[in-house]
C-alpha cells in the first residue's frame, strides 16, 4: 500500500477505544523526505509519497478505515536545550558554536541542537545553563551540505 496524503492527526481523535492503531516509527530526518519505504510495528511494508511538498508530523494519520488507523510516530532525539539567561550569554553561545555549522531550532527563548559532546563541554566551561534531553522535535533538523574553507 502506498500513502499519498496525510488525512489527519491522532491528537484530533478524542477516544481511541475500539481502534486498532498500527504505528510507523520514523527518525526526525525521515520527516523531511517526500518518498519513503517504511515498515510498521506490525511488520507490514508501506510506501509514502507525499505530494505538494507536504511534510510528515508526529501523529499524522495515513490510513483510517473501519476503526483501523495507521499513524506516524517520530522517534525522540538526543538534544541539548540551551537556555541563556542574558543576551551576553547568547552571544557567547553564538560565537562558540557558530563555526561548527550546527543546525539549531529556537523555541520559547531556548536553543535546541543535536547532542554533541564537545558542545556540552564548551557549555559547561562557559557555565551556560543547558540540559540534555530526549525529545520529539516539532520539525526535523535540516542538514545543509556545502563546501567551507577557512
Amino acid at each position: 500500500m502506498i500513502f499519498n496524503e496525510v488525512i489527519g492527526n491522532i491528537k484530533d481523535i478524542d477516544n481511541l477505544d475500539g481502534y486498532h492503531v498500527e504505528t510507523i516509527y520514523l527518525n526526525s530526518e525521515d520527516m523531511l523526505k517526500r518518498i519513503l519505504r517504511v515498515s510498521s510495528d506490525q511488520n507490514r511494508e508501506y510506501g509514502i509519497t507525499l505530494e505538494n511538498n507536504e511534510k510528515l508530523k508526529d501523529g499524522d494519520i495515513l490510513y483510517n478505515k473501519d476503526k483501523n488507523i495507521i499513524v506516524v510516530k517520530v522517534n525522540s532525539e538526543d538534544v541539548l536545550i540551551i537556555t541563556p539567561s542574558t543576551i551576553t550569554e547568547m552571544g557567547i553561545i553564538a560565537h562558540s558554536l557558530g563555526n561548527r555549522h550546527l543546525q539549531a531550532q529556537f523555541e520559547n527563548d531556548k536553543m535546541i541542537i543535536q547532542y554533541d559532546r564537545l558542545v556540552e563541554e564548551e557549555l559547561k566551561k562557559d557555565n551556560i545553563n543547558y540540559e540534555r534531553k530526549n525529545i520529539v522535535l516539532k520539525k526535523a533538523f535540516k542538514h545543509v551540505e556545502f563546501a567551507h574553507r577557512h
Side-chain angles (χ1 to χ4, degrees):
M1 185 179 298
I2 297 175
F3 304 111
N4 298 80
E5 65 181 341
V6 172
I7 59 173
N9 195 287
I10 200 157
K11 70 179 181 206
D12 298 326
I13 298 177
D14 293 330
N15 186 353
L16 288 171
D17 290 344
Y19 280 91
H20 174 263
V21 179
E22 185 174 353
T23 306
I24 297 170
Y25 291 95
L26 297 176
N27 292 323
S28 178
E29 64 262 10
D30 292 332
M31 307 303 274
L32 297 172
K33 297 177 182 173
R34 199 178 61 78
I35 300 172
L36 291 166
R37 183 176 178 153
V38 297
S39 295
S40 74
D41 63 346
Q42 306 290 309
N43 292 318
R44 294 188 185 110
E45 289 194 8
Y46 299 107
I48 302 173
T49 59
L50 299 180
E51 299 172 357
N52 301 323
N53 285 333
E54 189 172 18
K55 302 287 187 239
L56 291 169
K57 296 181 296 305
D58 188 53
D60 278 349
I61 298 171
L62 302 174
Y63 179 87
N64 185 355
K65 188 172 184 182
D66 301 324
K67 297 280 188 174
N68 291 302
I69 294 177
I70 299 175
V71 66
V72 171
K73 179 73 180 147
V74 182
N75 295 321
S76 63
E77 289 208 30
D78 191 10
V79 299
L80 294 171
I81 302 172
I82 305 166
T83 312
S85 58
T86 66
I87 192 71
T88 301
E89 278 189 2
M90 191 62 209
I92 291 168
I93 295 164
H95 180 72
S96 297
L97 303 183
N99 204 37
R100 295 180 188 270
H101 304 287
L102 299 171
Q103 297 299 309
Q105 296 180 19
F106 298 89
E107 190 176 300
N108 300 326
D109 296 330
K110 298 177 192 292
M111 178 184 201
I112 303 169
I113 60 172
Q114 289 177 312
Y115 177 77
D116 181 293
R117 180 184 57 80
L118 296 174
V119 171
E120 184 177 38
E121 288 174 10
E122 185 75 21
L123 293 168
K124 283 180 185 175
K125 180 180 75 83
D126 292 335
N127 201 28
I128 304 291
N129 186 31
Y130 78 95
E131 62 182 320
R132 181 178 177 184
K133 283 181 108 173
N134 273 300
I135 63 170
V136 173
L137 296 170
K138 291 183 181 175
K139 59 184 179 180
F141 288 111
K142 294 181 183 178
H143 296 283
V144 179
E145 300 202 18
F146 58 90
H148 182 78
R149 295 183 188 174
H150 289 270

